[in-house]
């Protein structure tokens, strides 16, 4: 737990990462709470409040929750601080927005597509006088995004940069912000993959995933694609090895929806679930396939990948296997060796290693 000085709240990131690695708020949150009008909580909608810190400061506000971990973070932080936030204040992407909202606060995400998607989602449902408070760290907001915002807003006010954070307040016009929300590509296995805004490698196949698929061993039994994105690994597995029972899971609503959509369109029968890592996978798989994230928002982190290896070692069958694609510079061989009896590098190129970790160690020293 770490105290947010401006508010006195005790907060923690979820998934949990040490506070020297990442803290749950940033200077953009400070800027927002200094600038937002007071007493407006009840008519405010919070979006991309990554660890629920703004929700704890504005306990009557509504929050749009797109990621499983965001909801967990918000519930944990509000409970630690004995703040009562009801379920009706937490909205999913496919729920209508309450019509009394006057102010929408968006912490600027890593992907501009996602920012455009949230603005358009609100624009379609809320009155044109709604104010949008957009805040983020300036190093993560390219000037091209600011230009886009200026061009697409009805009114645009840019605050001075403060403690390296940016704040803009805009209203939106009547024109849609974009035409098509589905983008994608076709794989070498002839699977059409489309994805919603914000999904990893939405327009073209990631070169790491491609390398993994070139070295995919023969799979059998129950297979989980952990951090499935558009479903590339899960659907390729099902297409190449139809006898497998395939599960796909991801933290992000956009990823889960895209994967479900692709499975349906391709008539490949797989199970798709939203969760933190393997938290909602009830089976003991034979295989876990994983192209782990090494960013959380704009921050580079290996903690989520390590958590995924840990969960895999716990959940896999006794002779289960975890297949991982990783950039060469990441310290995953050691992390896997702590958790599995054997770890082999089954393929390498100038950028990536493919690791095959076999047979979880059930008892071991922790890190
Ligand atoms: C590098 S992408 C891989 C996507 C896809 N498997 C591929 O190869 O194209 C990592 C994925 O992990 C998801 N992710 C991040 N944190 C997660 C978590 N805590 N639990 C489950 N999935 C997570 C991200 O949303 C993202 O879709």
């Amino acid at each position: 737990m770490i105290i947010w000085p401006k508010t006195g709240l005790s907060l923690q990131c979820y998934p949990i990462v040490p506070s020297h690695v990442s803290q749950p708020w940033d200077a953009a949150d400070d800027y927002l709470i200094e600038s937002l009008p007071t007493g407006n909580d009840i008519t405010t909608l919070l979006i991309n409040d990554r660890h629920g810190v703004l929700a704890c400061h504005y306990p009557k506000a509504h929050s749009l929750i797109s990621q499983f971990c965001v909801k967990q973070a918000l519930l944990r932080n509000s409970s630690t601080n004995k703040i009562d936030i009801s379920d009706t204040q937490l909205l999913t992407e496919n729920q209508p927005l309450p019509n009394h909202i006057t102010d929408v606060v968006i912490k600027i995400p890593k992907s501009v597509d996602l920012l455009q998607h949230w603005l358009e989602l609100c624009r379609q449902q809320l009155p044109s006088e709604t104010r949008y408070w957009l805040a983020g760290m300036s190093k993560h907001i390219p000037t091209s995004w600011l230009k886009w915002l200026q061009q697409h807003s009805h009114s645009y006010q840019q605050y001075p940069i403060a403690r390296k954070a940016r704040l803009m307040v805009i209203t939106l016009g009547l024109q849609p912000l974009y035409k098509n929300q589905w983008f994608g590509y076709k794989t070498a296995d002839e699977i059409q993959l489309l994805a919603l805004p914000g999904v990893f490698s939405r327009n073209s196949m990631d070169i790491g995933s491609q390398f993994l698929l070139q070295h995919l061993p023969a799979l059998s039994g129950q297979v989980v694609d952990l951090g499935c994105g558009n479903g590339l690994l899960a659907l390729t597995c099902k297409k190449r090895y139809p006898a497998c029972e395939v599960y796909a899971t991801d933290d992000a609503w956009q990823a889960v929806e895209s994967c479900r959509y692709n499975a349906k369109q391709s008539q490949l029968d797989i199970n798709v679930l939203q969760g933190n890592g393997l938290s909602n996978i009830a089976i003991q798989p034979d295989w876990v396939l994983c192209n782990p994230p090494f960013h959380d928002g704009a921050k580079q982190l290996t903690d989520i990948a390590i958590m995924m290896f840990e969960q895999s070692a716990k959940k896999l069958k006794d002779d289960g296997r975890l297949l991982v694609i990783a950039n060469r510079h990441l310290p995953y061989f050691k992390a896997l060796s702590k958790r599995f009896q054997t770890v082999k590098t089954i393929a390498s190129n100038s950028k990536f290693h493919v690791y095959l970790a076999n047979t979880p160690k059930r008892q071991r020293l922790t890190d």
Side-chain angles (χ1 to χ4, degrees):
M1 284 292 161
I2 163 165
I3 307 279
W4 183 6
K6 278 234 169 281
T7 60
L9 292 162
S10 293
L11 300 166
Q12 195 171 40
C13 295
Y14 187 83
I16 297 168
V17 288
S19 51
H20 69 271
V21 175
S22 185
Q23 66 178 27
W25 73 90
D26 60 19
D29 292 304
D30 283 334
Y31 208 170
L32 276 167
I33 63 173
E34 287 161 9
S35 313
L36 277 163
T38 47
N40 268 21
D41 297 31
I42 208 156
T43 58
T44 298
L45 173 67
L46 306 171
I47 302 183
N48 197 32
D49 176 22
R50 183 70 189 82
H51 298 288
V53 303
L54 293 170
C56 288
H57 187 66
Y58 297 110
K60 294 199 166 58
H62 282 79
S63 293
L64 180 73
I65 307 278
S66 311
Q67 284 149 298
F68 183 88
C69 290
V70 170
K71 184 165 179 183
Q72 298 308 310
L74 190 157
L75 294 177
R76 292 165 77 109
N77 283 327
S78 57
S79 146
T80 305
N81 292 282
K82 306 203 175 3
I83 291 168
D84 197 21
I85 296 177
S86 79
D87 248 10
T88 54
Q89 289 169 257
L90 308 183
L91 308 170
T92 56
E93 292 255 355
N94 41 12
Q95 246 175 304
L97 300 177
N99 51 19
H100 64 268
I101 297 296
T102 57
D103 293 273
V104 176
V105 174
I106 306 183
K107 283 295 295 296
I108 295 189
K110 197 174 119 191
S111 126
V112 72
D113 298 353
L114 206 45
L115 175 63
Q116 293 168 353
H117 157 77
W118 283 323
L119 287 171
E120 178 61 14
L121 184 87
C122 296
R123 193 201 63 80
Q124 285 176 11
Q125 300 183 53
L126 300 175
S128 58
E129 58 275 17
T130 308
R131 285 179 297 188
Y132 296 84
W133 300 75
L134 313 175
M137 299 310 292
S138 60
K139 67 176 174 189
H140 301 141
I141 309 174
T143 44
S144 59
W145 295 19
L146 300 177
K147 279 193 193 131
W148 183 90
L149 281 169
Q150 255 170 317
Q151 279 162 6
H152 290 81
S153 49
H154 179 66
S155 69
Y156 178 92
Q157 185 188 359
Q158 191 170 306
Y159 283 51
I161 293 180
R163 284 148 295 167
K164 301 187 181 169
R166 270 196 189 282
L167 177 62
M168 282 79 64
V169 185
I170 66 168
T171 59
L172 293 171
L174 299 175
Q175 295 302 317
L177 298 175
Y178 56 80
K179 288 200 183 104
N180 186 7
Q181 61 168 357
W182 289 98
F183 282 95
Y185 60 91
K186 199 172 214 171
T187 71
D189 293 85
E190 295 287 311
I191 305 169
Q192 179 74 48
L193 294 174
L194 297 182
L196 289 167
V199 175
F200 176 79
S201 261
R202 184 181 180 212
N203 297 321
S204 60
M205 194 187 295
D206 171 55
I207 50 171
S209 321
Q210 189 172 19
F211 190 59
L212 177 71
L213 289 177
Q214 284 161 0
H215 298 278
L216 193 67
L219 302 171
S220 58
Q222 293 174 310
V223 181
V224 178
D225 174 357
L226 173 53
C228 63
N230 60 12
L232 169 67
L233 304 182
L235 295 170
T236 305
C237 165
K238 188 68 188 172
K239 181 133 192 200
R240 290 191 195 172
Y241 305 107
C244 288
E245 186 179 316
V246 179
Y247 292 78
T249 187
D250 202 285
D251 178 41
W253 178 86
Q254 279 81 2
V256 167
E257 282 297 301
S258 305
C259 181
R260 279 201 187 115
Y261 177 85
N262 291 327
K264 193 165 174 209
Q265 295 299 314
S266 312
Q267 298 182 329
L268 291 166
D269 184 16
I270 65 167
N271 309 287
V272 189
L273 298 136
Q274 192 175 8
N276 174 24
L278 292 171
S279 64
N280 286 336
I281 299 290
I283 53 144
Q284 269 200 300
D286 297 272
W287 286 89
V288 171
L289 314 178
C290 189
N291 179 4
F294 61 100
H295 289 98
D296 182 13
K299 290 188 189 115
Q300 190 167 324
L301 284 183
T302 52
D303 298 62
I304 295 173
I306 307 285
M307 176 203 77
M308 288 177 163
F309 303 162
E310 180 75 24
Q311 288 183 340
S312 302
K314 286 199 178 124
K315 200 146 252 182
L316 277 161
K317 291 201 171 77
D318 287 346
D319 59 351
R321 278 168 277 192
L322 167 63
L323 191 69
V324 175
I325 174 79
N327 283 74
R328 287 179 77 104
H329 70 276
L330 295 168
Y332 291 164
F333 188 87
K334 197 168 155 212
L336 289 166
S337 302
K338 277 190 187 159
R339 295 166 174 85
F340 289 84
Q341 310 242 343
T342 57
V343 182
K344 285 188 189 145
T345 307
I346 60 166
S348 292
N349 66 13
S350 59
K351 279 192 167 12
F352 301 104
H353 289 309
V354 179
Y355 298 120
L356 178 60
N358 207 327
T359 314
K361 289 182 186 168
R362 297 300 184 192
Q363 284 190 331
R364 59 170 189 82
L365 297 171
T366 50
D367 291 317

